[in-house]
Amino acid sequence: MQTDLSFWIGFNVFVLLMLALDLGVFNRKAHEVSIKEAMIWTGVWITLAMCFNWLIYYWQGEVKALEFFTGYVIEKALSVDNIFVFVLIFSYFKTPAIYQHKILFWGIIGALIMRAAFIFAGVALLEKFHWTIYVFGAILIYTGYKMLTQKEIIIEPEKNPLIKLFRKVMPVTNELHGGNFFVKQDGKRFATPLFLVLVLIETTDLIFAADSIPAILAITQDHFIVYTSNVFAILGLRSLYFALAGMMDKFRYLSKGLALILIFVGLKMLLVDFYKLPIQIALLVIVVILILSIATSLMSNKKQ
């Protein structure tokens, strides 16, 4: 079903309005986000996503609604892996909590733009060259395997090629200058360490997008469903970070569960021309893997 242009415009106007309210009204002043505030905003974003899911059901029917919900669950689950990395990046740069919200806000703006480009490019590839679905499937299985076998994530900003290039183009101060990304010293413009953190956050999301977009394309190739489920998952990522950042160590087996989900959707893509798995079964498998990985983590913590 071709989505009318007015729905695209309406949805993006809604997103811009919510972002404007976030930055211009609720978070005009830099402050340290409390767990209570983060939980409230996490609830708001999930509620908005479920209301939109109901609209999809009313407008396009049960199958499209299930596709949106499954895609949203996948993207939301995979975004938790982003949170693991965000914690490490902020810790490495000793970023004050008061400035983390600003960095994540602008990071999410960049992520929305990059995800949109990935989605349209990915769907266009699948429509023009069907065989690329096997490439995407293989990438997901390989990524899942790497996640299963790697022991820990190591952050090495000095080896990041984009940061190396940026340092050659623009000098960077050794100290923070409030919440500024750029400052002028002796008539010369300098970037601050906060901007380096933002660059690292953006490049990290770019890497994760290479996994998460093929994952949702295994569920549906509907541009509108893929785009909107991704956007809702990303919009709630910042509040989810502040809600979970302090207890990520309690979910030690969650990354293994996410790896199994990637392998599962990768296999689904590889088998698409031989057997098309019903969306209801795919959703059930994903939810069961998530529940088991969280439950195993909590049981392990209780034993210790």
Side-chain angles (χ1 to χ4, degrees), residues 7 16 45 47 77 91 112 124 126 160-161 229 260 278 300-301:
F7 289 100
L16 292 173
W45 287 119
T47 301
S91 297
L112 289 173
L126 290 175
N160 185 297
S229 58
L260 291 175
S300 175
N301 292 332

Side-chain angles (χ1 to χ4, degrees), residues 8 109-125 136 206 209 213 217 223 226-227 230-231 234:
W8 283 95
I109 296 291
L112 289 173
I113 296 170
M114 288 190 295
R115 294 293 179 99
F118 265 77
I119 288 166
F120 286 100
V123 173
L125 276 173
F136 285 154
L206 186 62
I213 299 303
L217 291 177
H223 291 75
V226 176
Y227 177 71
N230 243 271
V231 168
I234 293 171

Side-chain angles (χ1 to χ4, degrees), residues 27-43:
N27 293 288
R28 183 181 297 177
K29 293 183 178 179
H31 67 286
E32 186 173 342
V33 179
S34 66
I35 292 178
K36 181 182 177 182
E37 181 184 349
M39 291 298 288
I40 290 172
W41 271 105
T42 298

